[in-house]
């Protein structure tokens, strides 16, 4: 039950976020919980298709995703850029080369996210637009596992720039033409659904926190645009 007594917000917040947002949202939840100690949270992390499924079943208060569903009637609000970049091990021969033709990706063993992933869909769309077919060496359902596989020399991949925060570690961003793929994170909820006071509080909080994040991390967006 949600109570809003004397401005003290209490109740439960149910969030479902795509896998790339897990690099951003949990840390912010720490701050949010300090501000509103009466709010308990459940956070589900799943891929694009998983979010759609949860939304259809009305399982959560708010959803965070990169691709607004076009077949569902929803409210959506972009709050942060989510560029997708090409990642390679730091000793890869293309590191440091500029504006490498996208066709070059066809020569590299490629690591791909699982079917149902929004990242995969965005990458496949760009490759299809340019008639590039990559050799998928490995299919993996986890951004973290993909990072390890790249570092281990299994191939290159395309992931959210946010998966490299706080630092890129053993990985380098390649400068391939048509990359980064520009995307945004959106807060989404079904149209006509009345947000609870708790959910509305979080919504407003996240918009503010995203602004602060952009100011502090201007570098990663500038680099992704360069
Ligand atoms: P994914 O989410 O986990 O479905 O790839 C990321 C995205 O859609 O940007």
């Amino acid at each position: 039950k949600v109570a809003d007594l004397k401005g003290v917000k209490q109740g439960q917040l149910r969030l479902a976020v795509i896998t790339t947002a897990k690099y951003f949202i949990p840390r912010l939840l720490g701050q949010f919980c300090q501000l509103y100690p009466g709010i308990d949270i459940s956070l589900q992390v799943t891929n694009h298709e998983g979010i759609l499924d949860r939304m259809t079943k009305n399982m959560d208060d708010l959803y965070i995703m990169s691709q607004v569903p076009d077949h569902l009637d929803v409210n959506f609000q972009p709050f942060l850029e989510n560029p997708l970049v090409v990642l390679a091990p730091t000793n890869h021969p293309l590191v440091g080369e500029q504006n490498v033709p996208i066709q070059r990706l066809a020569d590299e063993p490629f690591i791909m996210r699982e079917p149902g992933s929004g990242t995969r869909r965005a990458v496949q769309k760009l490759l299809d637009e340019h008639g590039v077919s990559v050799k998928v060496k490995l299919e993996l359902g986890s951004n973290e596992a993909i990072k390890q596989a790249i570092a281990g020399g299994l191939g290159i991949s395309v992931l959210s720039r946010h998966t490299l925060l706080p630092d890129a570690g053993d990985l380098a961003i390649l400068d391939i033409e048509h990359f980064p793929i520009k995307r945004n994170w959106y807060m989404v909820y079904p149209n006509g659904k009345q947000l609870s006071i708790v959910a509305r509080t979080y919504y407003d909080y996240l918009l503010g926190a995203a602004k602060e994040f952009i100011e502090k991390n201007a570098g990663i967006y500038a680099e992704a645009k360069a």
Side-chain angles (χ1 to χ4, degrees):
K1 274 274 145 197
V2 174
D4 191 12
L5 305 166
K6 297 185 202 145
V8 181
K9 305 221 166 49
Q10 289 190 348
Q12 224 215 353
L13 174 65
R14 289 163 308 169
L15 289 177
V17 313
I18 48 168
T19 66
T20 54
K22 80 165 190 205
Y23 294 88
F24 180 71
I25 297 298
R27 191 174 283 238
L28 282 182
L29 281 175
Q31 252 179 52
F32 181 75
C33 289
Q34 278 170 11
L35 281 171
Y36 303 103
I39 298 180
D40 299 323
I41 296 165
S42 87
L43 174 65
Q44 298 294 326
V45 181
T46 175
N47 68 15
H48 181 78
E49 210 159 276
I51 297 277
L52 290 181
D53 187 48
R54 295 186 68 88
M55 200 183 286
T56 311
K57 296 180 179 142
N58 194 22
M59 293 175 80
D60 310 277
D61 299 312
L62 275 175
Y63 303 86
I64 293 171
M65 60 201 310
S66 287
Q67 163 110 44
V68 178
D70 41 25
H71 61 291
L72 297 172
D73 186 15
V74 294
N75 266 296
F76 59 92
Q77 166 76 47
F79 65 96
L80 199 60
E81 290 177 30
N82 179 28
L84 303 182
V85 295
V86 184
L87 298 178
T90 44
N91 63 359
H92 193 279
L94 291 179
V95 174
E97 285 207 26
Q98 282 175 2
N99 211 21
V100 175
I102 189 169
Q103 277 72 23
R104 187 67 181 69
L105 294 181
D107 305 335
E108 300 288 328
F110 202 87
I111 306 170
M112 193 65 112
R113 282 281 308 274
E114 78 287 2
S117 148
T119 304
R120 173 182 172 125
R121 193 185 297 186
V123 172
Q124 198 59 60
K125 180 165 171 277
L126 181 74
L127 294 174
D128 289 349
E129 278 167 13
H130 296 279
V132 179
S133 79
V134 290
K135 288 180 284 189
V136 179
K137 171 96 183 160
L138 184 65
E139 205 174 87
L140 265 181
S142 144
N143 298 314
E144 273 315 294
I146 289 181
K147 284 167 60 184
Q148 296 301 324
I150 298 168
L154 277 162
I156 65 171
S157 190
V158 177
L159 292 178
S160 164
R161 175 66 181 81
H162 285 269
T163 64
L164 298 184
L165 293 177
D167 63 69
D170 301 334
L171 305 181
I173 298 176
L174 298 185
D175 180 4
I176 308 287
E177 67 176 343
H178 309 299
F179 285 91
I181 301 175
K182 292 205 175 91
R183 307 185 87 208
N184 281 291
W185 277 323
Y186 299 88
M187 270 188 284
V188 182
Y189 62 94
N191 216 351
K193 177 169 172 150
Q194 173 88 31
L195 285 187
S196 68
I197 292 167
V198 164
R200 171 59 61 186
T201 303
Y202 182 74
Y203 190 99
D204 294 339
Y205 166 81
L206 189 56
L207 285 181
K211 267 200 202 111
E212 253 175 59
F213 182 88
I214 292 166
E215 280 159 23
K216 274 198 215 130
N217 294 276
I220 75 168
Y221 299 113
E223 157 207 278
K225 276 194 187 99

